[in-house]
């Protein structure tokens, strides 16, 4: 994956996190074999968003470790885009 694709996928993950946790301190990990990126909010309750090259994504809660989330992502599990919003109070 080139830097342009990495930046594009990272931006997708950041946009989703901005909807879930505005202003979150995020980190990005590039996944092996061009599988995409993982954007992480590395705090208790933060979670991870794995983003594929087609910009589909999987959110996993912080209780799920990186490898377990990655396995689900690589198996094709995705979070519908409409789920990346905070419930209205």
């Amino acid at each position: 994956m080139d830097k342009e694709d990495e930046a594009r996928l990272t931006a997708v993950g950041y946009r989703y996190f901005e909807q879930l946790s505005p202003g979150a301190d995020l980190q990005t990990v590039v996944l092996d074999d061009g599988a995409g990126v993982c954007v992480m909010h590395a705090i208790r309750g933060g979670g991870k968003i794995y983003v594929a090259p087609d910009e589909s994504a999987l959110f996993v809660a912080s209780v799920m470790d990186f490898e377990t989330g990655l396995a689900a992502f690589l198996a094709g599990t995705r979070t519908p885009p409409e789920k990346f919003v905070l419930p209205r109070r």
Side-chain angles (χ1 to χ4, degrees):
M1 169 179 341
D2 63 25
K3 291 292 184 189
E4 195 172 292
D5 285 334
E6 179 183 334
R8 176 178 56 83
L9 299 180
T10 297
V12 170
Y14 273 56
R15 278 195 309 272
Y16 282 142
F17 261 119
E18 189 61 26
Q19 292 172 246
L20 298 173
S21 184
D25 182 22
L26 304 173
Q27 302 169 346
T28 301
V29 173
V30 176
L31 304 176
D32 292 339
D33 301 322
V37 300
C38 179
V39 178
M40 300 180 285
H41 186 200
I43 65 163
R44 184 181 177 120
K48 295 171 273 307
I49 297 176
Y50 299 85
V51 184
D54 67 359
E55 299 186 9
S56 63
L58 170 66
F59 172 83
V60 298
S62 62
V63 298
M64 185 178 292
D65 66 70
F66 181 86
E67 294 300 325
T68 303
L70 178 60
F73 176 73
L74 294 175
T77 305
R78 297 295 187 266
T79 303
E82 61 272 11
K83 297 289 185 176
F84 287 102
V85 293
L86 287 175
R88 294 197 183 261
R89 293 179 183 192

